[in-house]
Amino acid sequence: MRTLHIFGDSFSQPFKEDWVWTNLLGSKLKVDALSNRSHIGVSNDWIFANVRQAILGQGERPLVKDDVVVVVLTHPQRYWFFKDKPQFSNYMISNWDEFATEHDKGITEAIKGYVNYIQRDELDLIRTEFQVGWLKQMRNQIGFDLLILPGFDPIIDYSGMIDVLGDL
């Protein structure tokens, strides 16, 4: 049974409507099943953790040989700060105070401190390049088909991958 696995952020968020690109792709590829592990506001860390879980056979569908994998990369600056709040990865959101609970306000202050005093673009980029390199190696070892779609400006090395023009 061939499965289409989709991992990403809001660009690949699962919806029930047939016209959504993720569902259309599943129909076009004539796969037997569609597994979509995407969520709004998450980081590449969260995305790759979900890919790893699928490879290890954890979750709804294991990722196996001949499956199709689509990974929609998000911006490298997003960081998965808190395990139970992956949506807090996008620290560029300016209205956190509007949806954060009283308890979350301490979390948002901690993230602001990280952004203002610790975060470095070059380290975020290196981390993303390592994650993509790991995914390429998993593709080679397991034998699944892989497409990586950049959600933002494609600034990492995509050599050895299917060419994609632009970003989402």
Side-chain angles (χ1 to χ4, degrees):
M1 182 155 100
R2 193 165 191 218
T3 300
L4 169 61
H5 298 268
I6 299 175
F7 303 91
D9 66 354
S10 59
F11 289 126
S12 53
Q13 176 77 19
F15 291 100
K16 301 279 189 229
E17 290 83 3
D18 291 338
W19 57 265
V20 177
W21 76 266
T22 54
N23 297 335
L24 290 172
L25 181 59
S27 297
K28 180 120 177 130
L29 294 175
K30 296 180 173 63
V31 294
D32 300 303
L34 170 64
S35 172
N36 189 330
R37 298 178 199 176
S38 302
H39 191 59
I40 294 170
V42 299
S43 68
N44 289 322
D45 302 319
W46 187 88
I47 292 167
F48 282 98
N50 277 274
V51 173
R52 183 175 179 273
Q53 285 180 336
I55 288 171
L56 294 174
Q58 302 166 348
E60 69 179 76
R61 292 204 179 273
L63 198 161
V64 296
K65 182 177 175 38
D66 296 325
D67 278 353
V68 179
V69 176
V70 176
V71 175
V72 179
L73 292 179
T74 190
H75 199 282
Q77 287 180 339
R78 291 187 183 183
Y79 190 83
W80 187 14
F81 295 100
F82 305 100
K83 184 174 176 92
D84 63 335
K85 296 184 185 313
Q87 70 276 16
F88 277 178
S89 299
N90 185 0
Y91 56 77
M92 302 304 270
I93 295 174
S94 61
N95 65 339
W96 274 11
D97 294 331
E98 293 176 21
F99 65 84
T101 66
E102 195 59 39
H103 176 266
D104 293 338
K105 293 196 187 299
I107 294 171
T108 59
E109 289 304 312
I111 294 171
K112 288 176 187 176
Y114 168 80
V115 172
N116 291 324
Y117 303 108
I118 298 171
Q119 185 275 336
R120 292 178 22 216
D121 291 348
E122 65 273 15
L123 295 180
D124 294 336
L125 187 57
I126 289 168
R127 187 176 67 249
T128 302
E129 288 175 340
F130 285 164
Q131 291 166 331
V132 169
W134 169 81
L135 185 57
K136 290 177 183 180
Q137 184 60 32
M138 291 297 98
R139 173 201 59 194
N140 294 342
Q141 286 181 350
I142 296 170
F144 54 80
D145 294 326
L146 175 63
L147 175 64
I148 296 180
L149 298 174
F152 294 89
D153 190 24
I155 52 179
I156 67 168
D157 176 18
Y158 287 96
S159 61
M161 304 299 301
I162 297 170
D163 288 334
V164 175
L165 301 176
D167 58 59
L168 293 173

